């Protein structure tokens, strides 16, 4: 299964990083700036849930000066899964977007890892950034939270058969046709379950999944 391979390498085509936000004004300028500073044609879509701290207003004004910054406003705090679905639909409505990232706004996901995703996505349909594929690469978590997360991922693999070590992680890159094949309107989960459902749907439809180690900093 899976999509056709691109003749071009990943870093020669346009990519979109979707970043959901709620009260991320302290982080958003720096995280988006670091993504834009990478030597690739990358755009950023901030999906803001009407942040009281003005995150969405700031990004909206920024987008008027910087053509690679985009803002999607939602009327309230409607959930992480819904924010990503809205961002994915925005991406699919723009035909020049080939690769779509999920990434957090709080620097738990390092923008400097993006080139590695782009290096591998031409040979895959979904690249998953994993905290558990090469040992445990998590910083600043209490042991109890780490055990809970690691055990949840072991349980997920056992129950679903999904061949991914970190099914609950939120640093991913999808090829466009993988998102087109998932039927986004059928995705019902939110939070960590949303991450599991998206990867599971890709796998069940025969899309190729590649997992790479990332450093996750809480």
């Amino acid at each position: 299964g899976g999509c056709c391979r691109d003749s071009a390498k990943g870093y020669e085509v346009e990519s979109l990083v979707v970043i959901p936000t709620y009260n991320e004004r302290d982080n958003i300028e720096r995280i988006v700036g670091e993504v834009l500073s990478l030597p690739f044609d990358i755009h950023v879509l901030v999906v803001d849930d009407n942040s009281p701290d003005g995150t969405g207003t700031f990004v909206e004004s920024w987008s008027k000066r910087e053509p690679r910054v985009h803002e999607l406003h939602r009327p309230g705090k409607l959930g992480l899964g819904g924010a990503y679905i809205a961002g994915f639909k925005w991406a699919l409505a723009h035909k020049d977007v080939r690769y779509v990232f999920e990434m957090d706004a709080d620097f738990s996901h390092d923008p400097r890892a993006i080139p590695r995703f782009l290096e591998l996505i031409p040979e895959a349909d979904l690249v998953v950034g994993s905290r558990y594929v090469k040992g445990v690469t998590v910083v600043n978590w209490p042991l109890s939270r780490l055990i809970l997360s690691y055990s949840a991922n072991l349980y997920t693999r056992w129950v679903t058969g999904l061949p991914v070590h970190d099914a609950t992680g939120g640093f991913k890159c999808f090829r466009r046709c993988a998102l087109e094949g998932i039927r986004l309107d059928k995705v019902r989960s939110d939070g960590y379950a949303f991450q599991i459902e998206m990867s599971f749907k890709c796998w069940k439809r025969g899309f190729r999944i590649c997992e790479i180690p990332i450093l996750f900093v809480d």
Side-chain angles (χ1 to χ4, degrees):
C3 306
C4 297
R5 297 183 180 182
D6 289 329
S7 57
K9 292 300 180 183
Y11 24 81
E12 295 174 359
V13 302
E14 181 174 307
S15 304
L16 179 74
V17 177
V18 179
I19 303 178
T21 55
Y22 185 78
N23 286 348
E24 294 286 357
R25 179 64 186 87
D26 291 342
N27 294 321
I28 197 63
E29 186 171 8
R30 192 158 62 96
I31 192 82
V32 172
E34 289 199 16
V35 173
L36 296 182
S37 71
L38 296 170
F40 310 108
D41 180 22
I42 300 177
H43 288 229
V44 177
L45 173 65
V46 176
V47 183
D48 186 68
D49 277 6
N50 200 24
S51 296
D53 72 349
T55 300
T57 304
F58 171 76
V59 175
E60 185 177 13
S61 64
W62 191 3
S63 69
K64 294 173 182 175
R65 308 186 307 271
E66 169 54 69
R68 291 194 292 151
V69 173
H70 312 273
E71 194 263 351
L72 186 60
H73 180 80
R74 301 207 304 166
K77 196 170 184 181
L78 301 174
L80 182 70
Y84 274 127
I85 293 297
F88 295 158
K89 288 182 175 179
W90 189 98
L92 294 179
H94 293 75
K95 298 300 183 184
D96 53 347
V97 177
R98 295 195 191 181
Y99 304 136
V100 184
F101 283 83
E102 295 182 21
M103 196 173 80
D104 290 346
D106 62 0
F107 283 94
S108 55
H109 300 147
D110 188 349
R112 292 173 295 182
I114 287 176
R116 181 60 176 155
F117 284 84
L118 291 175
E119 182 182 339
L120 294 173
I121 192 65
E123 303 300 325
D125 304 310
L126 168 61
V127 179
V128 175
S130 176
R131 298 163 291 184
Y132 307 123
V133 72
K134 292 283 181 71
V136 176
T137 51
V138 176
V139 178
N140 292 338
W141 263 11
L143 184 59
S144 58
R145 185 176 180 187
L146 180 60
I147 291 173
L148 179 62
S149 173
Y150 189 80
S151 301
N153 277 286
L154 286 176
Y155 180 74
T156 297
R157 284 165 59 198
W158 177 63
V159 169
T160 66
L162 177 65
V164 171
H165 291 80
D166 190 356
T168 59
F171 198 4
K172 296 177 176 176
C173 180
F174 294 89
R175 184 186 290 269
R176 179 189 187 90
C177 59
L179 290 178
E180 289 173 335
I182 280 177
R183 300 179 190 169
L184 295 175
D185 287 331
K186 301 280 189 184
V187 177
R188 295 285 179 258
S189 304
D190 201 13
Y192 295 116
F194 169 79
Q195 304 297 355
I196 297 171
E197 183 175 0
M198 289 295 292
S199 294
F200 182 77
K201 285 180 180 294
C202 283
W203 176 60
K204 289 297 283 185
R205 284 162 176 74
F207 291 115
R208 299 161 298 173
I209 301 176
C210 174
E211 199 170 12
I212 61 172
I214 61 165
L215 179 65
F216 180 90
V217 181
D218 188 32

